[in-house]
Amino acid sequence: MVEFSLPRGTMDFLPEEMAQRRYVEDIVRKTFESFGFQEVQTPIFEEFALLAARSGEEIREGMFTFMADEVEYALRPEVTAAVCRMIVTGKIALPKPYKVYYLGPCFRYEEPQAGRYRQFWQAGIELMGSQSPVADAEVICVGAKTLENVGITPYRLKVGNIGIFRGILEDVGLDLEDQNRIIGNIDGIMSNREKCALIAEKKELGIDDQNYIKTYLNLLYDMQMGLINEGIEVVGEYEILPSALENLSLWVDTLPTVMEQTYRAAWIAEGMPEKTVDLLLEVSRVSGARSDVMPRAQVLLKGSAAETPLQELDKVLSNLEAFGVTNYEVVLGVARGLDYYTGTVFEFDVPLLGAQKQVCGGGRYDRLVEEFGGPPTPATGYAFGFDRIVLSRLLVKEIPVPRKVDVFIAVVDESLGQNAIQISQGLRERGYKVEIEMTQRDLKGQLGYASEIKAKYCVILGPRELREGKVMLKNLDTEEQAAVLLGELTEVIGKEKAGIED
Ligand code: HAM
């Protein structure tokens, strides 16, 4: 016999899990809609070229692709590119700004682990057609409200502006491609710092941690060898020797610095001025309260093209505070893994989740619609990792699951099956969830099943009672049982409807 297994990195959801997901989904939708966002849906697959255009190297290389009609397609790794395509190809005639949301599956070929899947769900919003800092602030506020409404606290909100890195790189003449590559490197440095800090909190390295450190050491070792082969001996005390690859736990504290220094050497080797390289690294470390960060950053960035995005960031923050969101941290190093961001960038983390703690990421992408052939359309948005939201909520507080059915109709003998059908239809018309017997169990088995599925009532049909126009009604919560006139059944149950709906 052939044995099939669940594809790696995917999940089945059983009824209880689906009920929990629907509960969270409902809150997410209501929150999005309370700010005027309307739902849209785009296909699960799109042309690979569209999805790859500005997705960043990591996402580009992790797409599930296939050919059809000689076109290369991919399962979508995210939805923003598809929404921009929809705006362009659909010639949308909605009044601006467009405020749309989506909730659906995305696919990335990743190494699966807790909270990181190959098929996962994103719930996102896109606000298109506004350049105002109010738009960025509102989008961030919707994120904060969503988490609060779902009941997820504490969370950490980091806000930055990717234009600051772009400005520093523009100052030395780097084009968009090179900017994206360097910003991708900074994103790697930032996540490495966070990951190593998490690992450092553990008493012992798990197998995943060891693999993580090994992967990065090998990557940096190769980079360093490349530099050394070119005659550039710039890594000095941070050089990784092959023998050092054995003792992984020694690297937890130093790996982030080694990574920074290796990239520092590589950037200088490709001709970037040392001053710029050091500024990039210094900016990536600036974080804290607005009142501390802003004056410090103004000094650091004086005279640079990065001054304008810094001012933009300040305006977004003051609007964010007007929305009542003050529990944020300014983190100038937020770099994001996607290439399309042009301004504000932000992330929400839920520390309770551990390694995969980022539940939401987003930012401003003012050029994407235009790059896909549409009119200039400044835009901002984000996506929640929906599965991580559900996980977070379950860690904080259980999710109430509604009853499968309110009423189960049992029959003393099979010949009463059609009476059960009739009664069940009547009850359903009055809004009850009802199930009838259909497996030829004896009465004891039927009552056992009704309790197992946590029905509130069991209606028992017997020939004698039916001849008298009655049924037995058993309250499975209290175990009380009484004969009830068939004509009064819904009324009796109805009196306790409030109890049924809990
Ligand atoms: P992203 O940061 O790549 O941004 O993904 C958004 C969120 O999706 C992440 O914060 C994370 O919670 C979740 N996520 C990503 N990969 C996985 C995975 N393998 N398993 C589980 N969850 C995952 C975007 O996708 C942008 N399109 C967001 C955006 C919208 N920016 C502007 N508009």
Side-chain angles (χ1 to χ4, degrees):
M1 202 173 60
V2 194
E3 270 193 39
F4 298 108
S5 51
L6 182 71
R8 276 191 80 206
T10 67
M11 293 172 282
D12 291 323
F13 300 107
L14 293 174
E16 189 173 331
E17 291 163 312
M18 278 315 295
Q20 292 168 335
R21 289 170 73 84
R22 290 283 177 235
Y23 175 89
V24 175
E25 184 179 323
D26 196 39
I27 300 174
V28 170
R29 283 177 191 281
K30 283 200 176 109
T31 312
F32 290 174
E33 286 168 12
S34 75
F35 285 82
F37 289 84
Q38 291 177 299
E39 186 172 11
V40 292
Q41 215 172 66
T42 63
I44 298 283
F45 63 93
E46 295 273 352
E47 286 179 30
F48 172 76
L50 172 101
L51 298 171
R54 287 273 167 247
S55 60
E57 196 186 338
E58 206 180 317
I59 293 182
R60 193 165 42 242
E61 284 173 8
M63 278 196 249
F64 289 90
T65 57
F66 61 96
M67 295 293 294
D69 304 332
E70 291 172 34
V71 178
E72 187 175 23
Y73 291 103
L75 298 181
R76 62 182 187 192
E78 55 111 39
V79 193
T80 310
V83 172
C84 292
R85 196 267 309 133
M86 178 179 81
I87 298 295
V88 176
T89 56
K91 304 187 172 54
I92 305 291
L94 296 171
K96 272 190 185 167
Y98 312 136
K99 294 177 89 171
V100 298
Y101 79 85
Y102 47 82
L103 203 158
C106 295
F107 306 82
R108 294 184 191 178
Y109 183 76
E110 313 220 47
E111 206 36 50
Q113 49 179 282
R116 186 177 213 106
Y117 315 105
R118 289 186 174 174
Q119 174 172 312
F120 60 99
W121 271 253
Q122 279 195 346
I125 60 174
E126 311 294 349
L127 197 165
M128 310 173 96
S130 168
Q131 202 143 34
S132 166
V134 178
D136 297 279
E138 179 173 283
V139 159
I140 299 174
C141 172
V142 183
K145 273 276 156 277
T146 306
L147 288 178
E148 281 156 25
N149 290 346
V150 176
I152 301 169
T153 46
Y155 62 81
R156 183 175 173 217
L157 165 58
K158 302 176 280 186
V159 188
N161 188 311
I162 206 133
I164 294 175
F165 288 130
R166 293 200 185 283
I168 297 172
L169 295 168
E170 264 165 37
D171 287 343
V172 288
L174 256 60
D175 65 13
L176 204 59
E177 285 306 295
D178 282 333
Q179 286 176 24
N180 286 339
R181 183 173 50 80
I182 304 287
I183 290 172
N185 296 162
I186 297 173
D187 189 39
I189 291 173
M190 292 297 292
S191 39
N192 183 259
R193 271 186 211 150
E194 289 202 358
K195 176 83 183 172
C196 287
L198 273 178
I199 298 178
E201 285 172 15
K202 299 185 184 174
K203 282 205 186 85
E204 246 177 74
L205 297 193
I207 193 81
D208 282 352
D209 304 325
Q210 290 179 26
N211 286 339
Y212 178 84
I213 294 175
K214 212 184 278 177
T215 306
Y216 271 83
L217 280 177
N218 280 319
L219 183 128
L220 295 175
Y221 177 75
D222 288 346
M223 267 179 82
Q224 293 189 354
M225 282 303 121
L227 289 168
I228 289 166
N229 287 342
E230 283 175 43
I232 304 160
E233 300 249 11
V234 277
V235 179
E237 62 183 295
Y238 301 106
E239 188 180 328
I240 302 168
L241 302 173
S243 60
L245 294 177
E246 313 279 299
N247 207 341
L248 295 176
S249 57
L250 289 181
W251 287 95
V252 181
D253 294 332
T254 42
L255 185 59
T257 319
V258 175
M259 185 159 176
E260 265 187 33
Q261 293 306 319
T262 308
Y263 275 106
R264 183 180 185 280
W267 294 338
I268 292 171
E270 68 181 63
M272 224 196 284
E274 256 187 81
K275 221 174 112 198
T276 304
V277 169
D278 289 332
L279 182 60
L280 284 175
L281 290 172
E282 183 160 5
V283 166
S284 79
R285 278 190 291 265
V286 174
S287 67
R290 180 181 171 203
S291 54
D292 295 333
V293 167
M294 284 302 157
R296 194 168 148 211
Q298 273 154 8
V299 174
L300 274 177
L301 301 172
K302 195 151 184 54
S304 155
E307 270 186 310
T308 313
L310 184 69
Q311 284 155 10
E312 274 169 26
L313 174 60
D314 201 43
K315 283 188 203 143
V316 170
L317 297 176
S318 89
N319 282 292
L320 191 57
E321 287 167 19
F323 273 105
V325 180
T326 51
N327 56 343
Y328 65 84
E329 200 181 326
V330 186
V331 179
L332 298 189
V334 176
R336 312 276 304 124
L338 291 131
D339 283 353
Y340 48 62
Y341 294 111
T342 53
T344 305
V345 278
F346 58 91
E347 289 170 355
F348 286 88
D349 289 346
V350 174
L352 268 178
L353 288 179
Q356 302 306 320
K357 63 184 178 344
Q358 195 196 111
V359 295
C360 177
R364 178 164 281 284
Y365 52 98
D366 283 347
R367 289 195 284 266
L368 202 54
V369 173
E370 213 175 335
E371 277 178 13
F372 291 166
T377 310
T380 178
Y382 68 72
F384 274 111
F386 180 74
D387 313 273
R388 295 184 187 175
I389 295 292
V390 177
L391 269 177
S392 309
R393 162 62 202 244
L394 284 170
L395 288 174
V396 174
K397 198 167 153 217
E398 72 178 273
I399 297 176
V401 173
R403 283 177 196 277
K404 180 177 193 279
V405 293
D406 307 313
V407 184
F408 179 78
I409 304 184
V411 285
V412 169
D413 75 64
E414 234 182 286
S415 67
L416 304 174
Q418 295 195 352
N419 298 73
I421 294 177
Q422 270 173 12
I423 296 171
S424 71
Q425 290 294 75
L427 286 168
R428 283 189 197 106
E429 268 169 33
R430 304 210 172 207
Y432 298 107
K433 295 188 277 183
V434 189
E435 226 183 292
I436 56 175
E437 169 58 13
M438 50 180 72
T439 63
Q440 290 144 351
R441 278 174 287 216
D442 62 12
L443 189 57
K444 194 166 164 239
Q446 295 177 52
L447 282 165
Y449 173 74
S451 304
E452 214 177 318
I453 62 170
K454 298 194 172 74
K456 167 101 177 169
Y457 288 105
C458 186
V459 172
I460 305 162
L461 306 188
R464 192 164 45 84
E465 287 84 359
L466 276 180
R467 270 197 302 277
E468 293 167 13
K470 289 180 184 164
V471 294
M472 290 304 287
L473 178 66
K474 181 168 182 179
N475 182 323
L476 294 169
D477 290 344
T478 61
E479 297 280 312
E480 280 166 25
Q481 185 169 320
V484 174
L485 279 172
L486 200 47
E488 290 173 6
L489 181 63
T490 51
E491 196 188 328
V492 176
I493 293 178
K495 276 194 188 139
E496 296 190 46
K497 197 162 185 333
I500 284 178
E501 280 175 343
D502 59 16

